[in-house]
């Protein structure tokens, strides 16, 4: 393979891997977790294949540019917290709309409306994008108000994560929303990120 073409392929494979890291939760939300394996194999298989070709080219032709691109990408994968960046962006971009939903729940304008679950609220179309996995939120009575869970990832059984609004800024309990939270991080006044797995 020509070294110039390999250099271009190394850039393309690196861009695809980095884009995948930023978009993986959106992709999971669209195609489900079960279908992620083929995409994962395709993205990282292509990257590994190009990396092997880059190593061979380094030894054969002493062309170091493709392997440097691959190495830089590997360093980025290890040192950049892609998930945290995506969560921070999601939280900041959608915070005011999520607070509008919380106000509507507190005022009684939005009430549980899923027939088989008295904790779920199917959000109106305007707000569906605020909670992944179907546009539903979970409400749980807390003192005078409600704790509200907006899903960022809605897995199987108790495997889920999301942003929790608490009206009194009280940290959610580890067992809130029928979860087993391994992670509870304060995001801002009245807001926490939770993860149960």
């Amino acid at each position: 393979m020509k070294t110039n073409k390999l250099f271009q392929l190394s850039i393309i494979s690196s861009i695809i891997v980095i884009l995948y890291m930023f978009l993986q939760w959106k992709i999971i939300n669209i195609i489900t977790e079960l279908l992620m394996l083929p995409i994962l194999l395709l993205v990282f298989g292509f990257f590994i294949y190009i990396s092997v070709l880059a190593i061979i080219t380094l030894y054969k032709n002493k062309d170091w540019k493709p392997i440097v691109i691959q190495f830089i990408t590997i360093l980025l994968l290890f040192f950049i917290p892609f998930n945290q960046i995506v969560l921070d962006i999601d939280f900041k971009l959608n915070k005011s709309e999520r607070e509008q939903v919380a106000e509507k729940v507190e005022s009684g304008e939005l009430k549980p409306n899923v027939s088989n679950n008295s904790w779920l609220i199917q959000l109106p179309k305007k707000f569906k994008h605020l909670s992944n996995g179907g546009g539903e939120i979970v409400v749980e009575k807390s003192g005078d108000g409600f704790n509200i869970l907006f899903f960022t990832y809605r897995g199987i059984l108790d495997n889920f994560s999301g942003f929790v609004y608490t009206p009194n800024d009280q940290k959610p309990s580890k067992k809130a929303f029928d979860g087993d939270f391994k992670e509870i991080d304060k995001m801002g006044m009245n807001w926490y990120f939770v993860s149960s797995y």
Side-chain angles (χ1 to χ4, degrees):
M1 182 177 287
K2 292 183 179 177
T3 55
N4 193 31
K5 186 174 181 184
L6 181 61
F7 180 67
Q8 291 171 351
L9 286 174
S10 67
I11 290 173
I12 290 168
S13 71
S14 295
I15 289 171
I16 290 170
V17 165
I18 290 169
L19 281 174
Y20 169 82
M21 294 304 293
F22 276 116
L23 300 174
Q24 68 180 326
W25 297 112
K26 292 291 181 194
I27 296 169
I28 286 173
N29 191 37
I30 294 168
I31 66 169
T32 76
E33 204 169 349
L34 300 174
L35 298 175
M36 277 303 287
L37 185 60
I39 291 175
L40 191 68
L41 290 173
L42 187 66
V43 168
F44 285 96
F46 179 57
F47 181 81
I48 291 167
Y49 173 71
I50 297 300
S51 297
V52 169
L53 289 179
I55 291 169
I56 292 169
T57 301
L58 175 65
Y59 284 108
K60 275 187 170 180
N61 303 335
K62 306 294 185 222
D63 185 8
W64 51 269
K65 290 181 283 191
I67 196 66
V68 166
I69 297 296
Q70 302 304 91
F71 183 71
I72 289 171
T73 303
I74 291 168
L75 287 177
L76 292 174
L77 292 176
F78 278 104
F79 293 108
I80 293 184
F82 290 99
N83 282 340
Q84 192 58 51
I85 291 169
V86 170
L87 285 172
D88 288 343
I89 290 169
D90 180 3
F91 178 72
K92 289 173 182 164
L93 286 178
N94 296 305
K95 183 180 177 200
S96 64
E97 282 187 293
R98 286 188 177 114
E99 286 176 341
Q100 287 175 34
V101 169
E103 287 173 18
K104 290 178 184 296
V105 170
E106 290 285 339
S107 71
E109 188 178 334
L110 282 177
K111 295 179 181 174
N113 56 8
V114 176
S115 60
N116 61 347
N117 191 322
S118 62
W119 292 12
L120 286 178
I121 296 176
Q122 179 69 51
L123 291 174
K125 191 173 185 177
K126 171 182 171 180
F127 295 118
K128 271 190 173 215
H129 66 281
L130 300 176
S131 190
N132 289 333
E136 297 173 335
I137 59 173
V138 183
V139 295
E140 197 174 70
K141 189 75 173 141
S142 173
D144 293 338
F146 294 95
N147 288 345
I148 304 165
L149 171 66
F150 296 83
F151 291 103
T152 55
Y153 168 69
R154 190 169 183 178
I156 302 165
L157 301 174
D158 65 348
N159 186 12
F160 63 90
S161 63
F163 299 113
V164 173
Y165 171 81
T166 62
N168 52 12
D169 198 34
Q170 186 174 346
K171 185 177 179 178
S173 78
K174 290 180 69 97
K175 300 292 181 189
F177 304 104
D178 280 343
D180 182 17
F181 296 137
K182 306 291 190 235
E183 183 180 353
I184 302 174
D185 298 322
K186 189 169 179 64
M187 298 294 292
M189 184 69 168
N190 297 334
W191 287 99
Y192 292 84
F193 173 77
V194 297
S195 182
S196 176
Y197 48 92

